[in-house]
Amino acid sequence: MHFSIPETETRAGDGGAPAYVLRKEYGANVVPAFPPKKIFTLTPAEVEQRREQLEKYMQAVRQDPTLGGSETFNSFLRKAQQETQQIPTEEVLLEVLLSNGQKVKVTILTSDQTEDVLEAVASKLDLPDDLVGYFSLFLVRETKDGAFSFVRKLQEFELPYVSVTSLHNPEFQIILRKSYWDSAYDDDVMEHRVGLNLLYAQTVSDIEHGWILVNKEQHRQLKSLQEKVSKKEFIRLAQTLKYYGYLKFDPCVTDFPEKGCHVVVSAGNNELNFQVRLPNEQIKEGSFKVTRMRCWRVTSSVPMNNGPSGSSPSEVKLELAFEYLMSKDRLQWVTITSPQAIMLSICLQSMVDELMVKKSGGSIRKMFRRRVNGALRRSDSQQAVKSPPLLDSPDASWEPMAKLSSKLTSVSLRGISHSSSANDVGANDFHGNYAFEGIGDEDL
């Protein structure tokens, strides 16, 4: 999502007022500092850099469930997206891609949020209401080999039509994919014909693009099942394969096991999987379980630019750093430098959310927003997990959920820290992972 800003910045023009209101309401330690203003006219390159900083700020704040639920924040974002792109509210046709390449065309308003568009797509496909929460919309960029690079999961506050059209590039598209990690939930989705077809199409696509590893014998078996149109059996076999249900990220750089190593990161099965290319060209593979990550944070840094005055600013680097329990009593920071760092952070957060809901006996079937009388409202399960102050039920059975929810609010990232060093970790820059606290020595 891109936010246009005037070349000469003012308090009203850069969103300072909403940021001030949020900081006043939730405290300076909760809301990250807004990107600093400049009082002089910006060059086109600086305008673009500033726009990216604002975008990353918005995504970072949105990762916090408390701030994300703020109507002040969400209403500002809704208005900002339309006004800055000068897109009036009107009826339009939006194409949403399915994993098999099929395009679903839905009639929406330019002002419709992600939830509206998801419901419109689900309605067009005849996907039952109780399965809508198992799927999400993602902004992707098509690569030369026909695969997709994931930019981000579209958040509730976003206006999908504005987000994709403002990029002015046909390579960017919106795709529908499942949004959960635990393959046990596949059973719920496969209960319905449309859910089965969507899951089958995604599985076939992931295999074709090499996201799921298949040997010759498995490939033969899968092909046979495809020819028989045995979709459930096809998925059952795929579930046994390596990297089933993983999201694969673009090649990037890590400091593990040593600085400057090129790595391909995949997220799935409650872990980040690393395929690292060492300096001697040897490939090593390893996994970092989310339950052994004590905390994580996203940082952004701008390398020093030694070029002539007035030259373009250096590219902003995004890093995801997490503190990992390598062995009993030994914690170590691991850093990933990637433009997809925020997406990686959101993946970790959603894994933790799913784990906590499962441990509390909840179900992701209820983990999505429902519309009540036209207003967006969290389902009871989501309220219990994310925002205990909203609960007014005297039912004692909610108490364990409320206790978990108070932990969950501390799991998510408050914002992007601006740092020149990935190891420069301040107390307010990162958040503890309470799924980590639940493991015992037997897990090591």
Side-chain angles (χ1 to χ4, degrees), residues 19-210:
Y20 170 76
V21 172
L22 284 171
R23 290 171 74 85
K24 185 177 179 181
E25 184 174 350
Y26 296 104
N29 290 333
V30 175
V31 184
F34 201 78
K37 300 186 293 291
K38 296 180 181 179
I39 59 174
F40 50 83
T41 301
L42 302 177
T43 66
E46 288 173 330
V47 168
E48 177 59 26
Q49 183 190 31
R50 175 67 169 163
R51 185 188 294 115
E52 289 179 0
Q53 289 174 340
L54 290 175
E55 176 181 337
K56 291 182 177 73
Y57 172 86
M58 298 301 180
Q59 290 189 56
V61 176
R62 187 57 188 86
Q63 288 182 73
D64 187 284
T66 304
L67 298 180
S70 165
E71 182 54 32
T72 302
F73 180 66
N74 285 312
S75 62
F76 161 66
L77 283 174
R78 289 194 296 269
K79 187 176 180 182
Q81 289 172 82
Q82 271 191 283
E83 288 187 350
T84 56
Q85 295 300 331
Q86 297 182 331
I87 296 177
T89 298
E90 60 185 1
E91 203 172 75
V92 291
L93 203 62
L94 180 68
E95 288 186 346
V96 175
L97 204 62
L98 303 183
S99 294
N100 60 2
Q102 178 185 345
K103 292 182 178 179
V104 179
K105 297 181 179 181
V106 289
T107 301
I108 61 164
L109 293 175
T110 54
S111 57
D112 279 346
Q113 294 175 243
T114 300
E115 177 80 5
D116 302 307
V117 177
L118 181 59
E119 289 178 356
V121 173
S123 177
K124 193 74 176 280
L125 293 171
D126 290 327
L127 184 68
D129 289 345
D130 63 346
L131 290 185
V132 176
Y134 290 80
F135 294 88
S136 291
L137 298 176
F138 295 83
L139 181 65
V140 297
R141 185 170 191 168
E142 190 170 5
T143 58
K144 292 179 181 178
D145 60 358
F148 294 104
S149 171
F150 282 77
V151 179
R152 66 176 176 274
K153 178 181 177 180
L154 293 182
Q155 302 297 301
E156 288 92 339
F157 66 80
E158 286 195 65
L159 312 184
Y161 177 83
V162 177
S163 291
V164 72
T165 56
S166 64
L167 293 167
H168 305 294
N169 187 335
E171 292 178 358
F172 289 96
Q173 301 181 67
I174 294 173
I175 192 170
L176 179 75
R177 282 181 64 94
K178 71 177 187 180
S179 59
Y180 56 89
W181 300 101
D182 190 341
S183 60
Y185 294 121
D186 287 347
D187 291 343
D188 295 344
V189 176
M190 290 193 290
E191 287 176 3
H192 191 272
R193 173 184 56 83
V194 177
L196 173 62
N197 288 339
L198 289 172
L199 189 57
Y200 174 74
Q202 180 176 319
T203 306
V204 170
S205 174
D206 288 355
I207 290 173
E208 288 177 347
H209 292 129

Side-chain angles (χ1 to χ4, degrees), residues 263-301:
V263 62
V264 173
V265 180
S266 298
N269 194 30
N270 296 320
E271 68 180 22
L272 292 184
N273 176 272
F274 277 31
Q275 294 182 55
V276 182
R277 183 182 296 275
L278 299 175
N280 62 5
E281 295 303 308
Q282 184 182 1
I283 301 293
K284 284 204 171 183
E285 183 182 346
S287 293
F288 296 93
K289 294 287 185 183
V290 69
T291 49
R292 289 172 65 174
M293 294 179 187
R294 193 179 73 89
C295 55
W296 70 83
R297 69 166 190 170
V298 173
T299 61
S300 63
S301 60

